[in-house]
Amino acid sequence: LDKEGRIIKLFHRISDQLFDAVESIHDMEIIHRDINPHNILFLKNKKIKLIDFGLVKELSKEGSLIITDSGIGLGTPTYGAPEQFIDAAHVDKTADIFSIGTTFYHMLTGEPPFYAKNKYTLYSLIQECNMPHPSEVNIELPTKTGDILMKALRRDPKERYQNVAEFRQALHKAKLK
């Protein structure tokens, strides 16, 4: 984290735009299910664009866009919620909250929260939500900010932020400086 606050300002600009994008799709009762750094484009006008809506799930019962069968997992493993790899058809908005948390974790520490040399170990780490606290990975990151990310990364979806507004508010209150 730099003394002039450039990185912090950039993080807040990116995080607010990502929050806006996800909040918009959630308002339409759609879950992205594959939020990760590879699906965030940085445009020349200093805007971001969330892309790759190939795994979306519509939450409404009528005219559902569910593209996965029950019992099938999907998404980018390093950034996906634990429940998504067990049964992606039955996840809710908190799966996207988890993915935003993993993306922010990577942005603020320089490392994804989960890393393993093989997919079986990776899935095990994700299922256990076994990752180091972000402020242990980046000692310049305030513990409070790391705690906020850790709440977004809780294994139990009921223990995470329940919507984008809660997550955004927590980060803004922490005043990452």
Side-chain angles (χ1 to χ4, degrees), residues 47-109:
K47 301 280 185 195
I48 67 154
K49 183 179 277 195
L50 182 61
I51 62 168
D52 192 355
F53 286 80
L55 300 179
V56 299
K57 175 189 169 197
E58 186 175 13
L59 293 172
S60 67
K61 295 184 187 205
E62 295 180 40
S64 180
L65 292 172
I66 295 174
I67 61 168
T68 53
D69 292 327
S70 182
I72 295 176
L74 51 77
T76 304
T78 305
Y79 301 94
E83 66 273 16
Q84 190 164 313
F85 300 104
I86 296 169
D87 188 358
H90 291 99
V91 299
D92 62 18
K93 294 175 184 179
T94 61
D96 281 350
I97 299 295
F98 189 95
S99 295
I100 294 169
T102 59
T103 299
F104 289 170
Y105 186 109
H106 196 163
M107 287 172 64
L108 293 170
T109 66

Side-chain angles (χ1 to χ4, degrees), residues 23 34 37-38 49 63 80 89 96 101 106 122 131 138 144 147 161:
E23 199 165 38
D34 198 19
H38 305 288
K49 183 179 277 195
D96 281 350
H106 196 163
L122 178 63
M131 82 289 285
N138 178 355
K144 175 78 172 156
D147 291 344
Y161 299 102

